[in-house]
Amino acid sequence: MNSYFQMLVFVVIGVMLFWFGYNLFFGQGKKGQGSGKDNKNQEDELEGEAGAPRTCPVCSIRLLHGEKVKSSAYPSMGKADRLMSIAGCPYCLEGDRPRICPVCGAVLNYDENLVARLFDKPGRSHVHVLGCSRCRGFLGSHR
Ligand SMILES: [Zn+2]
Ligand SMILES: [Zn+2]
């Protein structure tokens, strides 16, 4: 009778160990799926290919896929970064939204553009807005 009780205890321990190992194995599998997503800080960062940022830097509207900001980049002159001028998105160029410089806060006329520095990186370019033609002066002037 005593040996029968001992066997029962071993079986229970065995089942518990099996269950524990099973959970451990599948718990790790789930953890691996969840990680790997980092929150990117996109404060004044315009993502994607040059000329197709997600947010219009002139009127700060969130653009849908396919809506492009009108901009023109200047030759790089052998440097890693180059200057570009940003006119705006379809909304602020049509006059639906005010065109405001994010640096000095001035309301821009239609012949005034934003001046930005474009960093060419493979697969992803970074645009940093320096100012407008009012607070920044004409394109090409150095800091
Ligand atoms: Zn805009
Ligand atoms: Zn400005």
Side-chain angles (χ1 to χ4, degrees), residues 101 103-104 131-132 135:
C101 170
V103 178
C104 69
C132 61
C135 63

Side-chain angles (χ1 to χ4, degrees), residues 46-53 55-58 63 67-74 82-90 92-93 99 113-118 125 127 129 139:
L46 313 173
E47 264 200 66
E49 57 187 87
T55 308
C56 175
V58 187
L63 296 173
E67 293 177 331
K68 288 191 173 183
V69 170
K70 194 183 167 196
S71 61
S72 53
Y74 286 73
R82 49 184 169 151
L83 288 173
M84 69 185 294
S85 81
I86 301 170
C89 69
C92 51
L93 281 175
R99 301 170 70 228
N113 292 335
L114 286 184
V115 182
R117 203 174 282 274
L118 171 69
S125 50
V127 176
V129 177
L139 267 180

Side-chain angles (χ1 to χ4, degrees), residues 20-74:
F20 182 73
Y22 182 86
N23 269 349
L24 198 77
F25 184 77
F26 280 92
Q28 276 182 348
K30 270 186 186 175
K31 254 187 227 168
Q33 279 184 344
S35 63
K37 261 194 176 182
D38 285 341
N39 284 333
K40 285 177 190 167
N41 190 7
Q42 305 180 342
E43 261 182 53
D44 67 346
E45 214 169 284
L46 313 173
E47 264 200 66
E49 57 187 87
R54 280 185 193 168
T55 308
C56 175
V58 187
C59 65
S60 68
I61 194 174
R62 280 225 155 236
L63 296 173
L64 302 172
H65 194 75
E67 293 177 331
K68 288 191 173 183
V69 170
K70 194 183 167 196
S71 61
S72 53
Y74 286 73

